[in-house]
């Protein structure tokens, strides 16, 4: 058989191949490709993944561009050091033969020898050579030096590290073994200081360090000790003290380290306050130069400004604050003199000279405001805030095109005892406006659709900043379309008096960056299909830097990668198609947790848990945990799939079982069930569908009444289908200030698995937020719920719910209201109608003998005003109204119960912490007049 070599090598990109390879010309068009053969001098790990990078197609002519792209893609995959393409003639066309000379890949990194107690995980992070990456001599050698530095920093100053890569030439795989001899850990021999440390004894300062004589040396601990000692000296009153990281002298024979800390004690700082209490100022954080950062003149000046501002916030506008430094017998005295002066209230803010911009609009730009009950903190004149207000007005005028506008120094005058009037003089001048906004060279974007998003508009004001922002917005729009090299400039044509301008945006679009192939590296356990499905990036799609960051974020969200890098590879000359290279490092997929403990009430406790966040390499997560004690036993099994077939639908399945027999309760409850929920997210919209089964079984001691059993422990069995839709247009899910959200949730409980309960449950909620700016936020919520039962349960003699529709629905599924997230004038679940959803219990012995049993109808309306007070502290005024009805068809506005209240909230890192009090406006006999609450998170 004759073999005709049509082409020895089509093209190999020299830059990507690191100088290896050669090329041979191929006719631009020729016989069709009948088949493609892949040959390699070593087994290929993922042939299917490599085939996705081949652009030579069966049935198409063997063309130079397809061969060039194939070589580029395969070279970027890192699977081979050289790649060659041959064409072999056969009847009816040619066979494309792709030959790999496989690169050596690292399949394992080992650490052997005396590791000195350092964890293998930390050692692995210190080594730049990663598993599933091509073997790199430079990275392997650099790993030796990184490990040496790591050991030295941990005190192993005699550590020796050697590396020995073992290469399997047939499989082209390598095992990199780092042989470590940590040696003994060095100890601290002496600790000294460079300068005299009077009035302290050196031994006293050594006691404040983290390092100790004779203990193991650690470089980080020694350096941290310098900051620790300096903070201690500042707390002793030596605010000017400075301690730098220590100088290290190592004695290799003794294997000991001598540490010497450069130190300057400086004078002791004494504060003399005239006209104020030092403790009060410290408590408010106004004496910043006495903090842990130590003393300097800049901090003193900052403190003076803070004190002045604080007094002005209390109404002392004309407060005088002065400071001076004076040495006295080795002590540096800081003298601060405060003369508060009289207390003033700002009664009026006026503007002079403004004609085009109204007073009301200017007032909206200011934090300074006359006294008003609707604006907490108003009525105080603070110079710092006033200066910011004046700058804000100047910027506003400039951005409105008034380039000659001047906002002069304000005039403050007393209009009566303790009353101030503020007058702000303004000279507006002429306004510049845009007449026409035109585009030249814009083909890839729709000018009409773009105009709505641009800061500069026809008929609107002109300012260079608006023009610059417009140009940047157009560049960003082009970048999103893949035109990373688009050049955007602007030309201005002015009328003679320079008050009207025509703006022409000129664009040189350049080449569009399009995706050619997506190349994956580093995934050993994880299927390539999982990564490709997650990134959702197709050939021919425009790609931008923002899109690449989004891909990284989506891959990190899977929770299976410790590192993700996404980059565009260089393109050939004249080519707009780019390969996207994705490098990943897989984290440890499996975790085992266990523990034993003892509780004085529950006795011995134990727990065991297992999780795997990458089952089968498909990014499925599995989590199970078991908790056992004498009073309760709990088991949970959860499986999560981030996709369902080819669709980005998250599927979570849960099985649970728990048995609770607490000593202080006269019954034992067993709960078990399962739930499966599918979730699909469309931007800010979330659609879900759940299938839920749960059963509660109860063993009750003799003589226990039904109302002695908690609602959540009442026995029932339920199978239900739960679809829901949530649309979130809020600006922040934790502390929203504007926007809205909508929730629709259905629940259909149907007979299955021996259950005979059947009902349809609907819950709706709408929230709305209105941002008032500095005054605060108005938040509103409307909630409606209704349950329609389709089965009827028999009543027993004396049944308090006989005749009510709510009796035909399990109590755990009924609506309840009252508490800090529903109606804040009532305690939890205590909102309702007496005789319908609140049942009289003569044996309760309480002042209010009515017990909540829930209902099938719910209507709640909440209105809240949230306003800032100071720092992260804010206040609230709220009005809640609503009720719970036995039947949703009985809902009427005449049955609403009203409440109002006040509260405070602290914006903590975990969300707002709220406390408040709500008063009942429709109080009935036996009810408490108010309800106190404390909670984390917003009520809606």
């Amino acid at each position: 058989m004759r073999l005709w070599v049509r082409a020895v090598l089509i093209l190999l990109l020299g830059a990507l191949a690191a100088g290896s390879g050669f090329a041979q010309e191929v006719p631009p068009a020729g016989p069709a490709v009948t088949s493609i053969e892949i040959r390699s001098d070593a087994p290929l790990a993922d042939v299917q993944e490599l085939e996705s990078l081949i652009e030579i197609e069966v049935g198409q002519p063997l063309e130079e561009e397809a061969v060039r792209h194939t070589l580029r893609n395969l070279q970027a995959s890192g699977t081979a050091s050289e790649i060659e393409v041959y064409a072999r003639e056969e009847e009816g066309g040619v066979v494309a033969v792709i030959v790999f000379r496989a690169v050596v890949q690292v399949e394992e990194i080992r650490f052997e020898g005396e590791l000195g107690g350092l964890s293998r995980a930390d050692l692995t992070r210190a080594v730049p050579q990663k598993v599933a990456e091509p073997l790199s001599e430079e990275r392997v050698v650099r790993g030796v030096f990184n490990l040496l530095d790591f050991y030295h920093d941990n005190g192993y100053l005699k550590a020796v590290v050697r590396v020995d890569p073992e290469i399997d030439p047939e499989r082209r795989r390598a095992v990199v073994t780092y042989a470590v001899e940590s040696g003994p850990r060095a100890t601290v021999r002496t600790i000294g200081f460079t300068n005299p440390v009077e009035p302290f004894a050196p031994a006293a300062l050594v006691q404040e360090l983290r390092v100790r004589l004779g203990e193991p040396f650690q470089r980080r601990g020694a350096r941290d000790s310098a900051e620790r000692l300096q903070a201690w000296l500042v707390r002793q009153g030596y605010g000017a003290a400075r301690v730098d990281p220590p100088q290290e002298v190592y004695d290799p024979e003794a294997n000991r380290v001598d540490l010497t800390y450069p130190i300057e004690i400086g004078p002791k700082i004494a504060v003399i306050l005239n006209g104020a209490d030092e403790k009060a100022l410290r408590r408010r954080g106004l004496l910043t130069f006495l903090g842990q950062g130590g003393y300097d003149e800049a901090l003193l000046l900052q403190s003076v400004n803070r004190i002045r501002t604080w007094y002005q916030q209390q109404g002392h506008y004309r407060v005088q604050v002065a400071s001076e430094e004076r040495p006295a017998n080795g002590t540096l005295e800081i003298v601060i003199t405060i003369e508060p002066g009289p207390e003033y209230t700002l009664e009026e803010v006026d503007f002079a000279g403004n004609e085009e911009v109204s007073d009301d609009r200017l007032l909206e730009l200011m934090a300074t405001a006359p006294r008003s009950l609707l604006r907490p903190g108003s009525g105080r004149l603070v110079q710092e805030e006033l200066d910011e207000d004046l700058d804000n007005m100047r910027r506003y005028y400039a951005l409105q095109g008034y380039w000659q506008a001047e906002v002069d120094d304000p005039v403050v005058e007393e209009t009566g005892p303790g009353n101030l009037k503020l007058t702000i003089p303004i000279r507006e001048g002429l306004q510049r406006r845009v007449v026409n906004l035109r585009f030249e060279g814009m083909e890839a974007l729709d000018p009409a659709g773009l105009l709505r998003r641009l800061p500069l508009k026809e008929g609107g004001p002109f300012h260079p900043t608006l023009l610059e922002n417009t140009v940047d917005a157009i560049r960003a729009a082009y970048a999103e379309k893949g035109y990373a090299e688009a050049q955007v400039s602007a030309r201005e044509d002015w009328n003679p008096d320079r008050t009207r301008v025509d703006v022409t945006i000129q664009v040189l679009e350049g080449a569009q960056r399009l995706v050619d192939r997506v190349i994956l590296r580093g995934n050993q356990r994880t299927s390539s299909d999982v990564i490709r499905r997650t990134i959702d990036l197709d050939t021919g799609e425009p790609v931008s830097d923002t899109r690449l960051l989004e891909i990284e974020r989506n891959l990190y969200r899977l929770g299976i990668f410790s590192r993700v890098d996404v980059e565009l590879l260089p393109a050939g000359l004249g080519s707009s198609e780019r390969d996207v290279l994705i490098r990943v490092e897989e984290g440890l997929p499996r975790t085992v947790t266990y523990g034993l403990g003892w509780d004085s009430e529950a006795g011995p406790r134990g727990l065991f848990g297992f999780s795997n966040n990458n089952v089968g390499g498909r990014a499925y997560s599995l989590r199970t945990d078991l908790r056992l004690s004498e009073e309760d036993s709990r088991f949970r099994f959860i499986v999560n799939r981030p996709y369902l077939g080819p669709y980005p639908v998250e599927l979570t399945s849960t099985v649970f079982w728990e048995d609770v027999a607490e000593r202080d309760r006269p019954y034992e409850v067993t709960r078990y069930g399962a739930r499966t929920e599918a979730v699909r997210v469309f931007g800010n919209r979330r659609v879900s569908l759940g299938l839920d089964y749960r059963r509660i079984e109860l063993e009750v001691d003799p003589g226990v009444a039904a109302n002695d059993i908690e609602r959540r422990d009442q026995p029932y069995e339920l199978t239900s289908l739960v679809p829901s839709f949530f649309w979130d247009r809020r600006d922040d899910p934790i502390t929203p200030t504007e926007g809205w959200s909508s929730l629709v949730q259905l629940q259909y409980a149907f007979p299955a698995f021996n259950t005979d309960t059947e009902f349809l449950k609907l819950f709706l909620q709408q929230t709305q937020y209105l941002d008032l700016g500095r005054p605060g936020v108005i938040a509103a919520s409307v909630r409606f719920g209704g349950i329609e039962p389709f089965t009827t349960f028999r009543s027993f003699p004396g049944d308090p719910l006989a005749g009510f529709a709510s009796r035909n629905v399990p109590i755990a599924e009924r609506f309840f209201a009252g508490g800090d997230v529903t109606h804040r004038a009532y305690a939890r679940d205590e909102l309702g109608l007496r005789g319908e959803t609140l049942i009289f219990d003569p044996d309760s012995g309480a002042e209010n003998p009515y017990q909540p049993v829930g209902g099938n109808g719910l209507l709640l309306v909440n209105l809240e005003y949230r306003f800032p007070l100071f720092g992260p502290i804010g206040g609230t005024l709220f009005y809640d109204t609503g009720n719970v009805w036995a039947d949703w068809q009985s809902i009427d506005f005449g049955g609403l119960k009203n409440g109002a209240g006040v509260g405070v909230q602290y914006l903590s890192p975990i969300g707002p912490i709220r406390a408040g009090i709500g008063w009942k406006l429709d109080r009935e006999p036996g009810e408490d007049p108010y309800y106190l609450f404390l909670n984390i998170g917003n009520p809606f």
Side-chain angles (χ1 to χ4, degrees):
M1 181 176 65
R2 295 190 304 172
L3 299 178
W4 298 88
V5 180
R6 186 95 178 198
V8 178
L9 180 65
I10 306 302
L11 180 64
L12 188 60
L13 298 178
L16 293 177
S20 62
F22 46 92
Q24 178 174 327
E25 292 185 359
V26 168
V33 177
T34 58
S35 63
I36 300 173
E37 296 181 4
I38 299 178
R39 300 180 181 179
S40 175
D41 57 356
L44 297 173
D46 192 344
V47 177
Q48 184 178 1
E49 176 66 22
L50 293 175
E51 288 177 348
S52 68
L53 304 179
I54 297 173
E55 298 195 18
I56 301 171
E57 298 183 13
V58 175
Q60 298 295 324
L62 185 63
E63 297 181 343
E64 179 180 349
E65 183 177 7
V67 175
R68 183 172 66 248
H69 285 187
T70 297
L71 288 168
R72 182 192 65 195
N73 299 342
L74 295 174
Q75 190 68 42
S77 70
T79 57
S81 59
E82 293 183 6
I83 305 171
E84 299 171 351
V85 177
Y86 295 90
R88 184 182 71 232
E89 287 186 352
E90 69 172 20
E91 185 177 355
V94 296
V95 176
V97 183
I98 303 175
V99 179
F100 286 82
R101 288 183 172 83
V103 70
V104 177
Q105 286 196 349
V106 177
E107 65 177 0
E108 186 180 359
I109 295 177
R110 298 175 181 170
F111 301 94
E112 296 180 351
E114 183 184 353
L115 302 184
L118 301 184
S119 71
R120 296 180 185 273
D122 289 338
L123 298 179
T124 301
R125 282 190 289 269
V127 174
Q129 176 67 68
K130 303 301 179 183
V131 173
E133 289 282 347
L135 180 66
S136 166
E137 180 180 358
E138 185 270 335
R139 287 198 294 267
V140 169
V141 173
R142 187 149 49 92
V144 173
F145 294 103
N146 288 4
L147 289 173
L148 284 174
D149 290 341
F150 186 63
Y151 271 94
H152 290 171
D153 288 343
N154 283 277
Y156 297 93
L157 302 179
K158 290 187 175 183
V160 177
V161 180
R162 299 182 179 88
V163 65
D164 180 22
E166 298 179 7
I167 300 175
D168 184 339
E170 294 184 359
R171 297 174 53 246
R172 306 292 285 175
R173 295 293 183 267
V175 176
V176 179
T177 303
Y178 289 95
V180 179
E181 297 178 12
S182 66
R185 196 172 184 180
T187 57
V188 178
R189 180 168 59 185
T190 63
I191 301 175
F193 303 96
T194 57
N195 295 315
V197 296
E198 289 79 7
F200 300 98
L205 298 186
V206 170
Q207 288 298 316
E208 300 302 325
L209 301 172
R210 291 186 181 276
V211 292
R212 293 288 183 267
L213 295 176
E215 291 188 356
F217 166 72
Q218 187 183 42
R219 182 164 287 128
R220 180 176 179 180
R223 293 179 177 179
D224 289 346
S225 289
E227 297 180 7
R228 177 186 176 93
L229 178 57
Q230 179 173 308
W232 182 82
L233 289 170
V234 170
R235 290 196 299 271
Q236 306 311 305
Y238 292 86
R242 294 293 180 267
V243 184
D244 293 328
Q247 302 164 359
E248 304 169 11
V249 177
Y250 176 56
D251 183 350
E253 294 184 3
N255 196 29
R256 294 190 174 187
V257 179
D258 298 321
L259 299 177
T260 304
Y261 285 87
I263 190 170
E264 292 286 346
I265 299 295
K268 190 168 187 177
I269 305 297
V271 179
I272 300 175
L273 274 173
N274 298 320
D277 179 59
E278 180 180 340
K279 290 184 179 180
L281 297 184
R282 278 179 178 269
R283 201 164 45 244
R284 295 181 174 89
L286 301 179
L287 302 180
T288 54
F289 64 91
L290 296 180
Q292 292 188 0
Y295 170 80
D296 62 35
E297 293 182 1
L299 289 176
L300 175 59
L301 181 60
Q302 183 186 75
S303 292
V304 169
N305 291 333
R306 286 191 176 188
I307 293 171
R308 181 182 296 110
T309 297
W310 185 82
Y311 270 93
Q312 289 181 342
Q313 289 171 343
Q314 311 312 307
H316 301 278
Y317 172 67
R318 303 194 188 279
V319 61
Q320 298 295 319
V321 184
S323 66
E324 66 170 319
E325 302 176 0
R326 60 189 187 198
N329 299 324
T331 299
L332 181 62
E333 294 181 346
I334 308 299
V335 182
I336 300 178
T337 303
I338 303 173
E339 297 178 7
E343 184 176 346
Y344 293 99
T345 299
L346 182 62
E347 295 289 349
E348 184 180 355
V349 176
D350 195 13
F351 302 93
N354 56 309
E355 297 179 358
E356 299 297 328
V357 182
S358 68
D359 289 2
D360 291 340
R361 180 67 187 111
L362 293 175
L363 277 173
E364 292 176 1
L365 303 173
M366 300 179 62
T368 303
R371 182 171 54 182
S372 171
L373 294 177
L374 298 179
R375 296 189 65 172
S378 62
R380 300 305 187 191
L381 185 56
V382 180
Q383 190 63 45
E384 186 178 54
E385 292 182 355
L386 180 58
D387 291 341
E388 292 180 1
D389 291 339
L390 298 178
D391 289 339
N392 195 28
M393 279 189 283
R394 294 183 184 106
R395 288 190 292 268
Y396 175 79
Y397 267 107
L399 291 176
Q400 294 302 309
Y402 296 92
W403 85 101
Q404 298 174 328
E406 295 182 6
V407 179
D408 294 333
D409 294 336
V411 177
V412 179
E413 55 184 329
E414 296 187 27
T415 58
N419 295 332
L420 295 179
K421 176 182 178 182
L422 175 68
T423 304
I424 301 177
I426 297 174
R427 292 192 294 274
E428 292 179 334
L430 299 176
Q431 184 185 29
R432 289 175 169 173
R433 287 190 173 273
V434 178
V435 179
N436 296 303
L437 182 59
R438 304 186 182 97
F439 302 93
E440 292 182 357
M442 184 176 291
E443 297 179 0
L445 299 180
D446 176 23
L450 188 63
L451 279 172
R452 293 190 296 269
R453 297 157 37 190
L454 298 180
L456 210 61
K457 302 183 182 300
E458 291 185 349
F462 175 86
H463 188 270
T465 300
L466 295 176
L467 179 58
E468 182 180 348
N469 293 341
T470 296
V471 171
D472 290 342
I474 296 173
R475 290 195 186 105
Y478 268 103
E480 287 297 315
K481 291 286 188 179
Y483 293 89
E485 306 300 328
Q487 299 181 30
V488 183
S489 59
R491 187 181 70 244
E492 305 168 22
D493 298 314
W494 292 90
N495 67 344
D497 61 0
R498 297 190 65 82
T499 58
R500 298 293 182 265
V501 61
D502 291 337
V503 178
T504 303
I505 305 295
Q506 300 170 311
V507 180
L508 294 175
E509 295 181 332
Q512 187 180 24
R513 293 193 312 195
L514 303 174
V515 177
D516 185 14
R517 288 294 189 273
V518 176
I519 301 165
L520 307 180
R521 283 191 190 180
N523 54 309
Q524 285 188 305
R525 295 182 296 269
T526 308
S527 168
S528 298
D529 290 341
V530 172
I531 299 177
R532 293 184 182 278
R533 181 183 289 109
T534 302
I535 64 176
D536 192 24
L537 193 63
D538 298 324
T539 299
E541 181 180 335
V543 61
S544 65
D545 294 337
T546 303
R547 185 76 171 92
L548 298 181
L549 291 174
E550 181 183 339
I551 289 172
E552 285 189 7
R553 184 171 60 250
N554 291 341
L555 289 175
Y556 273 122
R557 193 176 290 131
L558 289 176
I560 59 179
F561 300 118
S562 60
R563 181 176 177 181
V564 178
D565 293 315
V566 182
E567 63 176 297
L568 283 178
L569 297 178
L573 294 176
S575 175
S576 62
E577 297 176 326
R578 307 283 290 273
D579 286 340
V580 178
L581 176 61
I582 300 177
R583 295 188 181 92
V584 297
E585 291 181 21
E586 296 169 323
L588 296 176
R590 289 175 290 276
T591 304
V592 177
T593 57
Y594 54 88
L596 294 173
W598 177 269
D599 187 277
S600 59
E601 296 183 359
R605 286 183 172 274
L607 65 90
F608 176 81
F610 173 79
S611 65
N612 187 338
N613 61 1
N614 195 9
V615 178
R618 308 299 300 180
Y620 300 165
S621 67
L622 178 152
R623 185 168 78 252
T624 180
D625 55 73
L626 175 66
R627 300 171 184 267
L628 300 173
S629 74
E630 291 184 2
E631 289 197 349
D632 64 289
S633 301
R634 306 172 191 271
F635 173 77
R636 186 175 57 171
F637 182 83
I638 303 174
V639 177
N640 177 268
R641 298 177 57 176
Y643 51 86
L644 186 61
Y647 306 105
V649 176
E650 184 176 355
L651 187 68
T652 303
S653 301
T654 304
V655 175
F656 70 92
W657 171 87
E658 61 180 43
D659 185 84
V660 182
E662 298 180 4
R663 296 176 183 176
D664 59 345
R665 294 198 306 187
Y667 58 87
E668 179 179 350
V669 61
T670 301
R671 305 183 187 91
Y672 57 88
R675 179 181 176 88
T676 296
E677 183 179 34
V679 178
R680 177 72 186 271
V681 177
F682 302 88
N684 53 18
R685 287 162 291 179
R686 181 182 186 273
V687 181
S688 68
L689 177 64
L691 178 62
D692 185 86
Y693 170 78
R694 66 186 67 182
R695 181 181 177 89
I696 297 179
E697 299 175 351
L698 198 63
E699 294 184 11
V700 184
D701 295 345
V704 177
N707 56 9
D708 292 331
I709 301 174
E710 294 184 14
R711 185 180 82 219
R712 64 187 299 268
D713 297 332
Q714 298 280 353
Y716 80 108
E717 186 175 8
L718 187 74
T719 304
S720 57
L721 196 65
V722 186
S724 68
F725 172 76
F726 181 60
W727 195 349
D728 190 356
R729 296 292 300 273
R730 298 171 297 173
D731 60 340
D732 188 281
I734 305 298
T735 55
T737 59
E738 62 180 355
W740 53 267
S741 67
S742 299
L743 172 65
V744 180
Q745 181 173 292
L746 279 171
Q747 179 182 0
Y748 174 54
F750 57 93
F753 308 110
N754 296 324
T755 63
D756 56 1
T757 301
E758 185 176 9
F759 62 82
L760 184 65
K761 182 178 182 179
L762 170 67
F763 178 76
L764 306 173
Q765 180 172 3
Q766 179 70 33
T767 61
Q768 187 75 43
Y769 303 89
L770 176 62
D771 189 359
L772 303 178
R774 292 182 182 271
V777 175
I778 292 179
S781 169
V782 178
R783 282 173 270 196
F784 169 82
I787 307 176
E788 181 64 35
F790 301 124
T791 56
T792 302
F793 296 104
R794 292 183 179 179
S795 298
F796 54 86
D799 185 358
L801 296 181
F804 290 113
S806 57
R807 187 185 184 282
N808 301 317
V809 177
I811 189 171
E813 298 298 323
R814 301 173 198 159
F815 293 112
F816 288 81
D820 51 81
V821 296
T822 53
H823 198 306
R824 287 160 285 187
Y826 291 82
R828 181 182 177 185
D829 299 343
E830 291 189 0
L831 179 67
L833 296 172
R834 291 185 173 183
E836 294 187 21
T837 56
L838 298 174
I839 303 302
F840 182 74
D841 180 10
D843 299 326
S844 67
E847 182 179 350
N848 182 6
Y850 288 88
Q851 301 298 319
V853 294
N856 291 357
L858 171 73
L859 179 62
L860 285 172
V861 179
N862 308 96
L863 184 63
E864 183 171 273
Y865 172 45
R866 304 169 185 170
F867 52 88
L869 293 176
F870 52 88
I873 306 297
T876 59
L877 301 174
F878 61 84
Y879 172 79
D880 298 337
T881 185
N883 216 330
V884 179
W885 287 262
D887 188 350
W888 67 271
Q889 299 183 55
S890 301
I891 294 177
D892 68 278
F893 293 114
L896 297 178
K897 289 188 175 181
N898 305 298
V902 298
V904 295
Q905 66 177 20
Y906 168 69
L907 186 58
S908 72
I910 59 174
I913 300 176
R914 300 182 296 110
I917 180 172
W919 286 276
K920 298 177 179 64
L921 303 182
D922 301 295
R923 182 187 174 197
E924 296 189 62
E927 291 183 335
D928 292 330
Y930 59 85
Y931 172 64
L932 298 172
F933 61 86
L934 175 66
N935 202 358
I936 298 177
N938 285 311
F940 50 87

